[in-house]
Amino acid sequence: KASNCVITSNDYVGVELASWKKSNFISSFIYCDFTYNNSHGLYSHSSTSPTQCTVRDCKFIGNYERGCKVSGNWTITDSLFEGNSNGGLDFNEGNVTNCTFRNNTTSHDGGGVEGHSSAGNFINCTFVNNTAIKHGGGFQGHGTLENCIFTGNTANYGGGLDLNGTIKNSTISGNTAVDCDGRKFCRFPG
């Protein structure tokens, strides 16, 4: 367990979980700031990550790669992803609740979030002023989104989101798609 930590200005990844793999290992980060690292703030390999991990009340700000790139079953709550290059969060499985993704940029997909595989559930999250050069300014990929807000996001396709999944009870407004292809605010490819 890591709590009340500041992980900042490292030459590479702020924290890498590659060597922490143990059967049924549970790891948690509470009230931690991952800021201005020259790569990811927090990074977990898919083949060597903990089976479960919790991130609560953390900040991922100004990291050069994504603020957080994780694989495995993660629970992320009440956290801020702001001003990260190459996106705010690269996520594979689990739940993300009450998080804010703001002013993140990427030259690829998913300015706020890029979701892979099932990508899990995003509940009560806000995606504002994120930019992706390709798809999904706020969110790109797989997942279930509920009670989320998408505003001021920009991408070539799917300014607010480019979703292969489900969205309900959410607000999508004021987003911009540069090459809208008839789908200015959101794109549902599947």
Side-chain angles (χ1 to χ4, degrees):
K1 176 180 174 180
S3 62
N4 297 306
C5 297
V6 176
I7 298 100
T8 189
S9 304
N10 291 288
D11 285 337
Y12 189 59
V13 175
V15 173
E16 185 170 358
L17 298 181
S19 61
W20 291 16
K21 183 176 181 179
K22 294 181 182 176
S23 178
N24 297 319
F25 183 83
I26 298 176
S27 181
S28 63
F29 296 89
I30 301 169
Y31 296 107
C32 293
D33 293 349
F34 299 85
T35 60
Y36 307 105
N37 295 290
N38 201 28
S39 187
H40 308 286
L42 175 60
Y43 180 65
S44 167
H45 292 277
S46 59
S47 62
T48 57
S49 42
T51 55
Q52 296 180 0
C53 193
T54 300
V55 173
R56 183 170 50 93
D57 293 300
C58 291
K59 295 177 185 173
F60 299 87
I61 299 173
N63 296 289
Y64 180 73
E65 288 292 329
R66 295 197 185 267
C68 183
K69 181 175 182 175
V70 294
S71 296
N73 189 10
W74 286 68
T75 300
I76 301 175
T77 58
D78 302 310
S79 294
L80 171 66
F81 298 79
E82 183 171 26
N84 297 289
S85 298
N86 293 313
L89 173 64
D90 190 319
F91 194 71
N92 195 26
E93 179 183 355
N95 295 300
V96 179
T97 308
N98 298 325
C99 291
T100 299
F101 301 89
R102 182 173 52 221
N103 298 324
N104 299 290
T105 61
T106 184
S107 59
H108 302 288
D109 297 325
V113 172
E114 184 173 10
H116 300 281
S117 301
S118 63
N121 303 301
F122 292 79
I123 301 165
N124 298 325
C125 292
T126 302
F127 301 82
V128 60
N129 296 333
N130 298 289
T131 301
I133 297 302
K134 293 184 179 180
H135 299 92
F139 182 98
Q140 190 279 328
H142 301 265
T144 299
L145 293 86
E146 185 174 352
N147 298 322
C148 293
I149 297 171
F150 295 86
T151 186
N153 300 291
T154 303
N156 267 349
Y157 298 96
L161 66 154
D162 182 354
L163 175 66
N164 189 349
T166 304
I167 185 169
K168 55 186 171 179
N169 300 325
S170 295
T171 301
I172 305 167
S173 69
N175 300 287
T176 303
V178 176
D179 186 0
C180 63
D181 191 27
R183 301 168 287 225
K184 185 172 183 181
F185 305 113
C186 55
R187 181 171 174 250
F188 302 98

